[in-house]
């Protein structure tokens, strides 16, 4: 500590080149080791630990400090698969990812999409059931049903309808929103019981109620999309002033604003008994029945595209706990190699004792190190968690930190209260998903799942969190990426976040 001040004073009185050179050598010799350690932090890797055939966990420690956990899944030829899990069948309920994982018999569970008032903020589908197109554009992840291909980038989602009356095609139209807010302008919006209290049909719309869906099936030989056919139960005409309801049989409500003559005319043209086939897809993602959303894209065809953290930018870009999912090049159709799915977390907000968190750019770099060709960011901040169920007793499993149920947390969540409840989780199952439909055979029914109570505190925590939905909407509002949604929910989250913004 005393050498550096005396050296600075000495530099003012040294007159000869030889003295200056000597001093320069001494300063370099004393500072060089510190500089090298700062640029190249020590790395300690533990594992990989086998959780199930084709499922391995790697623990990585950086002296910066940072703590990462990496799960690599090789679906084929192994029985393991990746699934989207939820607290219950409907939006508005919460559970901890560890509990969602245990309920599903998973060996790994991490937090999933961002929490939007009890529902996922982005495009979401489970077991061929379209749940929402999301209030925000973003990225997504999906493992194809054949487990040969996977996708991790922006899903260009499309929902279309065709209507037949007595076997004759009478009209077709696009559905702009699915459990994702009210229709605006010339849009047509759909609502299902999945939306629950989070998304309900509004007043002053033209509407039609559909019932009796057939089992989901592929729309074509190429498995480009999933389709189901419904029967029009009733069509409220003239357009009601009060919000339409499902009634005893309703499964889908199609709505359009009265003021939009074109959109409302399409809805009003539906008649009881008409057969309406609804088809959804993520363009260019054939064979997909499960999709989970996130934002932003981290790795694009092997290139680090994680947004940088710059001065004055949203706190979302700075060091935060993170969760993400990526795929290797072998997952991409028409590319060679083995398909592997990579799930990664990095802890944060414990810089002095455990882990400082990462910027999006640094997190993307870690995915590339693990072989990711594409990767996306999932919900993070205080919600970042990784739970695993080891093959033996959790108490004897080296990476375990906190025993939870049959397994344990292998990370330290950023919330002081521990694991945060979530609206979705990304799960790794040791065996094929028993609830996935046969896509052409009878629809397999899922066992009843008890609905968990609505937890406004979990949403408020996420809304105030710079690494979660609050930070995300702040970054979008600043023009960082993606259009600003014309949705009251977006404005509400932005207001909540900026009231509590730590920056």
């Amino acid at each position: 500590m005393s050498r550096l001040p005396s050296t600075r004073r000495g530099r003012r009185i040294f007159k000869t080149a030889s003295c200056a050179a000597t001093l320069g050598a001494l300063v370099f010799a004393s500072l060089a080791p510190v500089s090298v350690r700062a640029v190249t932090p020590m790395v300690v890797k533990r594992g990989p630990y086998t959780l199930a055939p084709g499922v391995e966990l790697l623990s990585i420690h950086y002296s910066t400090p940072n703590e990462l956990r990496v799960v690599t899944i090789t679906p084929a030829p192994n029985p393991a698969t990746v699934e989207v899990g939820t607290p219950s069948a409907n939006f508005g309920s919460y559970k901890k990812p560890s509990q969602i994982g245990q309920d599903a018999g998973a060996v790994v569970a991490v937090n999933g999409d961002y929490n939007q008032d009890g529902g996922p903020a982005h495009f979401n589908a489970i077991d061929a059931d379209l749940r929402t197109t999301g209030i925000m554009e973003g990225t997504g992840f999906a493992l194809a049903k054949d487990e040969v291909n996977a996708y991790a980038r922006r899903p260009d989602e499309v929902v279309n309808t065709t209507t037949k009356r007595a076997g004759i095609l009478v009209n077709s139209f696009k559905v702009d929103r699915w459990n994702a807010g009210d229709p605006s302008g010339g849009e047509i919006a759909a609502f299902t019981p999945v939306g629950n209290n989070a998304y309900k049909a509004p007043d002053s719309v033209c509407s039609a109620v559909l019932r009796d869906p057939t089992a989901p099936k592929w729309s074509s030989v190429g498995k480009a999309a999933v389709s189901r056919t419904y029967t029009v139960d009733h069509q409220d005409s003239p357009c009601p002033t009060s919000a339409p309801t499902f009634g005893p049989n309703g499964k889908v409500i199609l709505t359009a604003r009265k003021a939009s003559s074109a959109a409302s005319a399409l809805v009003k043209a539906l008649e009881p008994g008409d057969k309406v086939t609804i088809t959804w897809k993520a363009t260019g993602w054939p064979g997909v029945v499960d999709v989970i959303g996130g934002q932003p894209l981290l790795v694009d065809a092997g290139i680090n595209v994680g947004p940088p953290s710059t001065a004055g930018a949203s706190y979302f870009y700075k060091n935060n706990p993170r969760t993400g999912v990526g795929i290797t090049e072998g997952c991409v159709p028409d590319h060679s190699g083995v398909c592997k799915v990579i799930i990664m977390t990095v802890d944060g907000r414990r810089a002095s004792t455990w882990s400082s968190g990462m910027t999006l750019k640094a997190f993307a770099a870690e995915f590339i190190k693990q072989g990711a060709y594409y990767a996306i960011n999932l919900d993070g901040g205080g919600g970042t968690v990784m739970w695993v169920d080891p093959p033996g007793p959790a108490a004897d499993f080296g990476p375990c930190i906190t025993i939870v149920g049959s397994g344990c947390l292998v990370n330290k969540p950023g919330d002081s209260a521990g694991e945060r409840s979530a609206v979705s989780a990304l799960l790794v199952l040791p065996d094929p998903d028993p609830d996935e439909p046969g896509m052409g055979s009878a629809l397999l029914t899922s066992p009843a799942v008890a609905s968990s109570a609505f937890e406004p505190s979990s949403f408020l925590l996420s809304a105030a969190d710079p690494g979660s939905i609050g930070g995300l909407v702040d970054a979008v509002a600043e023009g960082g990426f993606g259009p600003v949604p014309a949705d009251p929910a977006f404005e509400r989250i932005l207001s909540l976040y900026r009231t509590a913004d730590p920056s």
Side-chain angles (χ1 to χ4, degrees), residues 168-435:
I168 299 174
L169 178 68
V170 293
N171 70 12
S172 61
F173 54 83
K174 176 184 176 182
V175 177
D176 302 281
R177 298 170 180 260
W178 189 279
N179 287 331
D182 303 346
S184 62
E187 293 181 334
I188 293 177
F191 300 86
T192 75
V194 168
N196 203 8
N197 291 324
Y199 297 107
K200 294 189 294 186
D203 295 330
S204 301
V205 292
C206 301
S207 66
V209 179
L210 314 182
R211 60 174 169 82
D212 300 335
T214 60
K217 65 179 183 179
W218 300 118
S219 64
S220 66
V221 175
K223 301 179 179 179
V226 176
S227 69
R228 303 183 77 170
T229 299
Y230 300 76
T231 301
V232 176
D233 183 76
H234 62 275
Q235 193 273 343
D236 292 322
S237 183
C239 302
T241 56
S242 58
T245 61
F246 291 102
N249 302 316
K251 298 299 182 182
V252 176
I253 297 176
L254 297 174
T255 65
R257 289 289 181 190
K258 292 182 182 181
S260 172
S261 57
S264 62
L266 289 169
V267 174
K268 286 192 290 185
L270 297 173
E271 296 181 1
D274 285 353
K275 300 297 182 181
V276 179
T277 298
I278 299 179
T279 302
W280 68 266
K281 66 177 179 178
T283 304
W285 294 19
V288 164
V289 296
D290 297 281
V291 182
I292 193 167
Q295 194 164 204
L297 184 66
L298 298 174
V299 182
D300 185 3
I303 304 300
N304 187 331
V305 294
S309 177
T310 57
S314 171
Y315 204 85
F316 181 70
Y317 301 105
K318 303 183 188 300
N319 284 345
N320 279 295
R322 307 280 184 191
T323 304
V325 58
I327 61 174
T328 60
E329 188 172 0
C331 297
V332 180
D334 301 323
H335 286 233
S336 61
V338 177
C339 177
K340 296 186 177 184
V341 177
I342 303 161
I343 299 173
M344 187 184 305
T345 64
V346 59
D347 288 353
R349 301 176 186 165
R350 299 170 182 262
S352 61
T353 59
W354 180 251
S355 187
S356 60
M358 286 185 169
T359 65
L360 292 163
K361 181 68 73 174
F363 195 43
E366 292 298 327
F367 268 104
I368 292 173
K369 288 180 185 178
Q370 298 302 318
Y373 193 66
Y374 286 98
I376 70 168
N377 190 58
L378 298 174
D379 189 16
T384 285
V385 66
M386 181 179 286
W387 174 88
V388 305
D389 191 356
D396 298 335
F397 188 59
C400 278
I401 295 175
T402 306
I403 303 296
V404 177
S406 61
C408 60
L409 303 187
V410 292
N411 79 314
K412 294 182 180 181
D415 277 359
S416 58
E419 185 182 3
R420 182 186 297 176
S421 295
V423 297
S424 65
L426 189 60
L427 309 177
V428 181
L429 305 181
D431 300 299
D433 178 14
D435 297 329

